[in-house]
């Protein structure tokens, strides 16, 4: 039986990964290590709470004593570090929090794992550490002139994509903190031979995503007949990756990836923000029969500071080395995602109360 310590396991991607692993394998133990900040929600893991293979530890990755204690108590074979402050707008408002959690928290994880796994002979046994990062560390790409109506490139073989060798060029405090953490992970591998890998994913979407991110925010607002705030002209392009596809990739990278390497994980689903918003409105209106949910709810708002224009990933390396490729086309994944939110109104109600409302009013104002 292999044991995984999953930091940030009550968050969006972390909780999906835990549920995925418990479904796929019988012979795993999953330790969910999470501080339960505003975006951490144990409701995401209700299906696992009575599973004897699942353990929850309420602690912070910045707390060296707690991390060391969890490593000793559970002896994980793998550490998957999802734990991070991840919302760009919040990083613009409070950059210090992102440096503290994303950089110093990662350094603490590296130090703690290095101490716990040191075999006294200059090695670390069969342990492996995966840092889950983001495409945003690469900066921004130009938008091609000849996009399809949905925002996908008309000639994808002729345009630029992020590769693992693309220089890091972060533009927000969030992406700067993630790039810094990545460099520490690389330095620990290069300096100490620490058994680390880095994955960098494109924009994830799917069940259990906190509604400060684009897709769940638009779904929630549409259902509440609130305005749908769209930054700038809405033509920013992102590469969308269904979260279960990402979970498959993380599983493969953690177990079979080459130590010291970076693997890009992209969805090959580039779409403009405004196309996504209009798609959500159309689907919800069709499903609910509510004809008042339409494009009149869209409100263009002042663009985000330092807003990257386009992200696009080239997942060639992970396809060639590990046989991974995204299975979920955007048109299929967005329908599954909207249906999940429509089927889980209580989950949405719980996560959009209290402190979230204060944050939303600060960022976008009241309707």
């Amino acid at each position: 039986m292999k044991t995984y310590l999953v930091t940030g396991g009550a968050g969006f991607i972390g909780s999906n990964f835990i549920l995925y692993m418990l479904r796929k394998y019988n012979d795993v133990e999953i330790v969910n290590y999470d501080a339960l900040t505003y975006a951490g929600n144990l409701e995401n893991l209700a299906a696992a709470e009575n599973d004897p293979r699942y353990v929850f530890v309420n602690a912070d990755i910045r707390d060296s004593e707690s991390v060391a204690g969890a490593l000793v108590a559970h002896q994980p074979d793998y550490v998957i570090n999802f734990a991070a402050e991840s919302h760009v707008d919040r990083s613009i408002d409070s950059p210090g929090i992102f440096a503290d959690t994303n950089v110093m928290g990662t350094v603490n994880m590296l130090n703690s794992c290095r101490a716990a796994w040191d075999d006294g002979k200059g090695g670390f046994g069969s342990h492996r550490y995966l840092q889950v990062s983001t495409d945003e560390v690469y900066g921004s790409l130009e938008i091609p002139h000849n996009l399809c109506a949905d925002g996908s490139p008309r000639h994808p073989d002729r345009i630029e994509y992020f590769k693992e060798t693309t220089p890091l060029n972060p533009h927000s405090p969030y992406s700067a903190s993630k790039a810094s953490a990545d460099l520490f992970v690389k330095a620990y591998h290069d300096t100490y031979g620490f058994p680390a890998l880095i994955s960098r994913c494109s924009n994830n979407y799917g069940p259990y995503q906190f509604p400060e991110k684009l897709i769940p925010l638009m779904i929630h607002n549409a259902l509440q007949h609130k305005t749908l705030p769209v930054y700038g002209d809405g033509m920013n392009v992102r590469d969308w990756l269904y979260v279960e596809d990402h979970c498959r990739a993380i599983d493969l990278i953690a177990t079979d990836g080459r130590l010291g390497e970076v693997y890009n994980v992209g969805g090959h689903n580039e779409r403009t923000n405004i196309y996504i918003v209009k798609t959500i409105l159309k689907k919800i209106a069709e499903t609910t029969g509510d004809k008042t949910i339409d494009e009149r709810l869209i409100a263009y708002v002042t663009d985000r500071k330092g807003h990257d224009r386009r992200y696009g990933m080239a997942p060639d390396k992970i396809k060639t080395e590990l046989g991974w490729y995204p299975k979920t086309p955007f048109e299929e994944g967005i329908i599954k995602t909207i249906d999940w939110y429509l089927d889980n109104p209580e989950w949405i109600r719980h996560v959009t109360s209290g402190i979230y409302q204060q944050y939303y009013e600060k960022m976008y104002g009241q309707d």
Side-chain angles (χ1 to χ4, degrees), residues 24-68:
K24 182 175 180 182
Y25 300 105
N26 292 322
D27 57 343
V28 294
E29 179 184 42
I30 307 290
V31 180
N32 176 10
Y33 185 102
D34 198 295
L36 294 182
T37 61
Y38 74 95
N41 184 1
L42 289 179
E43 285 189 59
N44 299 2
L45 292 155
E49 61 185 13
N50 294 319
D51 193 318
R53 299 170 298 161
Y54 169 75
V55 178
F56 173 62
V57 176
N58 184 197
D60 196 307
I61 62 170
R62 296 170 295 178
D63 184 341
S64 57
E65 185 176 339
S66 294
V67 174

Side-chain angles (χ1 to χ4, degrees), residues 154-231:
R154 194 172 299 278
H155 301 290
D157 57 325
R158 303 179 190 173
I159 63 175
E160 184 182 5
Y161 291 96
F162 294 138
K163 299 179 180 178
E164 289 83 358
T165 54
T166 300
L168 302 185
N169 186 27
H171 293 149
S172 71
Y174 162 64
S175 56
S177 70
K178 292 296 286 186
S180 300
D182 287 2
L183 291 175
F184 270 103
V185 174
K186 180 182 183 300
Y188 271 61
H189 175 268
D190 294 348
T191 303
Y192 308 113
F194 185 74
L197 307 98
I198 299 169
S199 64
R200 293 180 181 143
C201 68
S202 57
N203 281 41
N204 279 221
Y205 68 105
Y208 303 114
Q209 188 170 28
F210 191 77
E212 65 185 356
K213 300 299 178 74
L214 178 68
I215 288 176
L217 173 62
M218 297 302 152
I219 294 172
H220 173 254
N221 281 19
L223 291 172
Q224 297 297 314
H225 296 87
K226 298 175 66 175
T227 56
L228 277 61
V230 176
Y231 281 130

Side-chain angles (χ1 to χ4, degrees), residues 111-131:
N111 284 334
S112 299
C113 290
R114 180 177 166 229
W117 294 347
D118 190 342
D119 63 7
K121 302 175 184 177
F124 300 94
S126 60
H127 297 95
R128 295 166 75 91
Y129 174 102
L130 174 58
Q131 179 78 6

Side-chain angles (χ1 to χ4, degrees), residues 7 37-38 52 68 94-95 98 110 116 121 124-125 137 140 180 183 200 229 271 287 292-293 305 315 341:
T7 69
T37 61
Y38 74 95
S94 304
F98 284 70
L110 293 169
K121 302 175 184 177
F124 300 94
V137 301
S140 184
S180 300
L183 291 175
R200 293 180 181 143
R271 301 291 185 273
T287 302
T292 66
I293 298 177
K305 296 176 181 178
Y341 282 94

